[in-house]
Amino acid sequence: MEAIGITLAMFAAVLVSGMVVRVLPVAVPLPLVQIALGALISSFSDHGVRLDPEVFFLLFLPPLLFLDGWRIPKEGVLRDKYSILELAFGLVFITVLGVGYFIHWMIPAMPLPVAFALAAIVSPTDPVAVSAITQRVAIPKRVMHVLEGESLLNDASGLVAFRFAVMAAVSGSFSLGSAAVSFLWVAIGGLAAGAIFTILVTAAKNLFTRNFGEEPGSEILLSLIIPFGAYELAEHIGASGILAAVAAGVAMSYVELSGKAMAITRIQRNAVWNMLQFTLNGIMFVLLGEQLPAIFNGAVGVVRDTGHLNPWWLLAYALAINVALAALRFGWVWLSLAIGRRIAARRGTLAPQPSIRLMLAVSLAGVRGAITLAGVLTLPFVVDSGEPFPARDLAIFLAATVIIVSLLTASIGLPRLLRGLDVPEEGEHHRQEDLANAAAREAALKSIEATAHELTIKNPQTDPTIYTEVATRLMNSIQQRATGGRDQEVEPEVIKLQQEIERQMRLAALAASRGELYRMARHGKLSDEMAREMVKGIDLQEARLRA
């Protein structure tokens, strides 16, 4: 019963944390409030929550990685693919080696494989935390796209590197050759398993709904099951469940562009996934706060093995790791931009010189968050020999401190760096939006005309002028909204038949507009991110008409 009570208290803490952040007079990152509430819970509980690493990994990581892959703005990722790949793979590789050796040198009591594992798990970044920090000062959209693409890929690369390092620490042996071969299978098998699983499941679902209708609750539940199914399938064949979850999310974003789900399903599904993301992120940070006192005591014991009796050395270690991560990230950003400008010059194009402020902002935006926390909490308790996992509490404590320090420094520094930053406007974004609105409007007008003709044929006993009048009014209404005109008000005495005709025509127009937006997205004329936002508005209008 006590376990149930602690679980409910954690859910309550996640709920309260959202309220506390909104009423505080100063901007405080939400994860910090959740960690504090978790520590408060631990002071009232005699027994902490003992986490099974494998269960924790399965419950938290697949849905979060799946959602990242689902909602990632693919157009922005493809446009800046070289910058993203350099940050997501090159920087992760350098971080694992450089910071790993640095941690082992600084803390000899932490074995080198454990130091590599810690360096790997602090390499993934968290754009959700950056978005929360920069709510009051907007971050340039293109920079945000780079951060989101980097986060999606370095989640995968960092977690895979973390898994290999943990395996080396647990088994006590490591072979670079066998690890390279294993990595190829783990990566290719995981990506293929996730994508194929999602495509097959959604194809079977579409076949069923086409013959027997769609039920929103079942559709939402299926979307919740897909990341777990993809993860388990990949793990079963010896591939990476992490990469499978990411690939499943990316495949789901392409499946969504088919536009086959009902509007009400998309609305409810979006709300459920937003709630799930908020809850899972919150629970992880509350769990960290609840376990932090015990982790701190264990970390102090490891520090004493290094000859330092003062627990303040823990803070010194954490600050040193943060400085190493920040310096490495800034140096890598500067180097990659310099290489990019040189390549552009060889191709005969002139790449703009980024300001130091922008490079500092990109470097400071490498905030660590939920993925780092979820990964480090899955460190095993024992190694193959049955002995305790070396320096486990210290690794968790240092990872947690890196998260806290990165959140604090970003919340203080990012708004100051971004305020007044001169970033050129993205004309392409506005051009796409204007083009999409015009295409959707044209599709709606054609659909209204076709629906009026279809209703006239289906109902020969009804005066055809009714359909013509309603269609004309709706078409004029759409055209006037496009030019800033005012909608004509429907007279109070309009009859019930006219109302139903108008409702059917509006539904047909919305369906045509939505279909045109999805068609443009599938053909690369519109970014999937913008298509998703515009379809959301159409879905809300349809839901009101069907209510």
Side-chain angles (χ1 to χ4, degrees):
M1 291 298 291
E2 184 176 0
I4 295 176
I6 293 176
T7 303
L8 293 176
M10 288 183 177
F11 279 113
V14 174
L15 176 64
V16 171
S17 67
M19 301 176 183
V20 171
V21 167
R22 289 195 294 272
V23 301
L24 286 176
V26 294
V28 178
L30 179 62
L32 296 183
V33 176
Q34 292 165 342
I35 292 171
L37 291 174
L40 184 64
I41 291 173
S42 70
S43 65
F44 291 99
S45 174
D46 296 330
H47 305 285
V49 178
R50 183 174 175 84
L51 301 173
D52 183 330
E54 290 299 323
V55 174
F56 186 84
F57 210 84
L58 174 63
L59 287 179
F60 285 86
L61 283 179
L64 290 176
L65 293 172
F66 175 79
L67 190 59
D68 283 346
W70 190 352
R71 293 181 174 178
I72 192 73
K74 292 186 290 298
E75 183 198 47
V77 171
L78 293 174
R79 179 183 56 196
D80 296 306
K81 54 184 176 293
Y82 296 115
S83 299
I84 291 171
L85 290 173
E86 289 169 357
L87 289 169
F89 293 102
L91 182 56
V92 167
F93 178 74
I94 295 297
T95 300
V96 172
L97 286 180
V99 178
Y101 275 113
F102 174 71
I103 293 172
H104 178 62
W105 169 82
M106 184 172 57
I107 314 173
M110 180 177 287
L112 189 57
V114 181
F116 282 152
L118 176 57
I121 205 58
V122 296
S123 59
T125 52
D126 186 358
V128 176
V130 175
S131 299
I133 291 170
T134 57
Q135 282 179 348
R136 300 179 186 180
V137 182
I139 191 168
K141 185 174 285 293
R142 185 163 186 176
V143 173
M144 197 64 201
H145 284 170
V146 171
L147 294 174
E148 289 172 337
E150 176 200 3
S151 174
L152 175 65
L153 296 179
N154 70 15
D155 284 352
S157 59
L159 286 169
V160 170
F162 172 75
R163 275 291 180 94
F164 275 105
V166 170
M167 287 168 57
V170 169
S171 64
S173 62
F174 180 76
S175 170
L176 183 61
S178 61
V181 174
S182 176
F183 177 80
L184 285 176
W185 166 246
V186 161
I188 296 173
L191 292 172
I196 293 172
F197 180 82
T198 304
I199 292 171
L200 291 178
V201 169
T202 53
K205 181 266 298 180
N206 290 336
L207 180 62
F208 182 86
T209 54
R210 189 161 54 246
N211 293 315
F212 301 101
E214 181 177 319
E215 202 283 311
S218 299
E219 298 282 320
I220 296 168
L221 181 59
L222 181 64
S223 72
L224 294 173
I225 291 174
I226 285 176
F228 298 103
Y231 179 91
E232 285 294 325
L233 174 62
E235 290 291 319
H236 181 71
I237 62 175
S240 171
I242 298 162
L243 293 174
V246 172
V250 174
M252 190 70 178
S253 69
Y254 282 104
V255 169
E256 186 182 33
L257 293 180
S258 66
K260 293 181 179 179
M262 294 193 305
I264 190 63
T265 298
R266 278 190 297 270
I267 293 171
Q268 293 180 3
R269 186 176 61 191
N270 188 57
V272 168
W273 273 101
N274 286 340
M275 180 274 297
L276 186 65
Q277 183 184 40
F278 176 77
T279 304
L280 290 180
N281 277 297
I283 285 291
M284 281 192 293
F285 286 107
V286 172
L287 270 172
L288 172 62
E290 191 273 336
Q291 301 212 348
L292 205 53
I295 291 171
F296 175 77
N297 292 332
V300 169
V302 178
V303 170
R304 284 174 179 162
D305 293 338
T306 66
H308 298 134
L309 301 180
N310 193 327
W312 282 102
W313 278 99
L314 285 170
L315 181 59
Y317 292 154
L319 290 175
I321 294 172
N322 271 282
V323 170
L325 288 169
L328 195 59
R329 183 175 177 85
F330 180 81
W332 188 265
V333 170
W334 179 86
L335 180 63
S336 62
L337 289 174
I339 293 173
R341 288 197 306 274
R342 179 163 295 184
I343 293 174
R346 289 182 177 179
R347 293 176 177 174
T349 58
L350 181 62
Q353 173 71 38
S355 66
I356 293 295
R357 283 180 63 191
L358 183 59
M359 287 192 287
L360 283 172
V362 173
S363 302
L364 203 58
V367 176
R368 275 67 188 178
I371 299 299
T372 293
L373 180 57
V376 78
L377 287 175
T378 63
L379 284 173
F381 292 101
V382 296
V383 297
D384 287 347
S385 63
E387 296 179 356
F389 189 89
R392 181 181 189 273
D393 286 338
L394 178 58
I396 295 176
F397 182 83
L398 290 176
T401 313
V402 166
I403 293 171
I404 294 171
V405 173
S406 68
L407 284 168
L408 285 173
T409 53
S411 62
I412 295 170
L414 266 181
R416 288 169 173 77
L417 286 171
L418 293 172
R419 191 172 288 114
L421 185 64
D422 185 21
V423 178
E425 291 188 9
E426 296 190 41
E428 178 64 18
H429 177 85
H430 300 295
R431 188 194 69 80
Q432 277 195 7
E433 188 174 13
D434 293 340
L435 183 65
N437 282 324
R441 188 165 55 249
E442 184 66 25
L445 293 174
K446 291 180 179 179
S447 176
I448 291 172
E449 187 176 356
T451 304
H453 181 69
E454 182 181 341
L455 290 174
T456 302
I457 295 175
K458 285 184 177 180
N459 303 281
Q461 72 280 4
T462 306
D463 184 359
T465 58
I466 294 178
Y467 303 109
T468 305
E469 291 174 359
V470 174
T472 302
R473 184 170 65 246
L474 282 180
M475 293 170 74
N476 288 337
S477 172
I478 292 173
Q479 290 172 331
Q480 286 169 352
R481 281 200 298 271
T483 57
R486 185 180 299 272
D487 248 354
Q488 294 180 0
E489 296 185 0
V490 179
E491 295 81 0
E493 63 271 12
V494 70
I495 60 173
K496 187 175 181 180
L497 176 60
Q498 287 180 310
Q499 290 178 329
E500 177 59 23
I501 294 170
E502 181 175 341
R503 190 183 75 88
Q504 291 184 38
M505 289 184 177
R506 286 186 182 273
L507 288 173
L510 291 173
S513 297
R514 182 169 51 231
E516 179 62 19
L517 293 175
Y518 277 133
R519 187 195 67 79
M520 294 178 69
R522 287 194 299 270
H523 288 81
K525 297 180 180 178
L526 179 67
S527 71
D528 55 329
E529 181 185 24
M530 186 180 294
R532 192 179 298 120
E533 287 300 314
M534 297 180 75
V535 166
K536 187 186 299 182
I538 292 175
D539 288 345
L540 289 171
Q541 294 180 58
E542 181 175 326
R544 286 195 294 269
L545 287 172
R546 293 189 183 278

